[in-house]
Amino acid sequence: QVQLVESGGGLVQAGGSLRLSCAASGRTLSSYHMGWLRQAPGKEREFVAAISRSGNKTYYADSVKGRFTISRDNAKNSVFLQMNSLKPVDTAVYYCAAGAAAATTPQAYGYWGQGTQVTVSS
């Protein structure tokens, strides 16, 4: 239905910023609610942020609220995650995901990207 490819990960010092991108192919991204989720070593995959099909509504995990911003550009079939004031606890593989509804659980998303590594040093 849709292929998702993340980019923009890397290594950054605490307090720095990164902007993750997710590009879709195979089907227009406007058909899906989109989310960003992450998985740190030895931990379960967790919800980070979600955005509705139109971009009118956004949702954030308490741990990133006020620091991260999710956005989408349906004309470009793209979703973004702006990450500011990064902390070492943000270190994880970040995944772009698509689903039938914006949700705060990984199980709700049916399509996933390959993930991009974000490492925040002390």
Side-chain angles (χ1 to χ4, degrees):
Q1 288 284 347
V2 62
Q3 291 287 111
L4 305 172
V5 180
E6 301 97 332
S7 62
L11 192 152
V12 64
Q13 290 192 133
S17 298
L18 284 174
R19 181 176 173 85
L20 305 184
S21 299
C22 175
S25 62
R27 185 171 179 175
T28 176
L29 205 58
S30 64
S31 298
Y32 302 96
H33 294 82
M34 301 298 299
W36 286 96
L37 304 97
R38 67 188 183 188
Q39 187 165 21
K43 296 185 177 181
E44 296 181 350
R45 192 168 297 186
E46 66 174 350
F47 168 79
V48 176
I51 189 166
S52 61
R53 295 178 189 179
S54 68
N56 189 52
K57 296 291 293 184
T58 58
Y59 310 87
Y60 297 94
D62 288 342
S63 60
V64 306
K65 197 172 298 181
R67 300 188 297 120
F68 291 10
T69 303
I70 187 171
S71 62
R72 67 191 301 163
D73 186 342
N74 287 341
K76 296 181 178 179
N77 262 2
S78 298
V79 181
F80 308 95
L81 185 68
Q82 179 67 46
M83 305 185 294
N84 298 326
S85 301
L86 282 162
K87 307 173 181 179
V89 294
D90 295 319
T91 295
V93 176
Y94 283 71
Y95 297 90
C96 176
T104 59
T105 60
Q107 297 93 320
Y109 295 91
Y111 302 94
W112 298 81
Q114 83 288 352
T116 186
Q117 177 71 47
V118 172
T119 302
V120 185
S121 62
S122 301

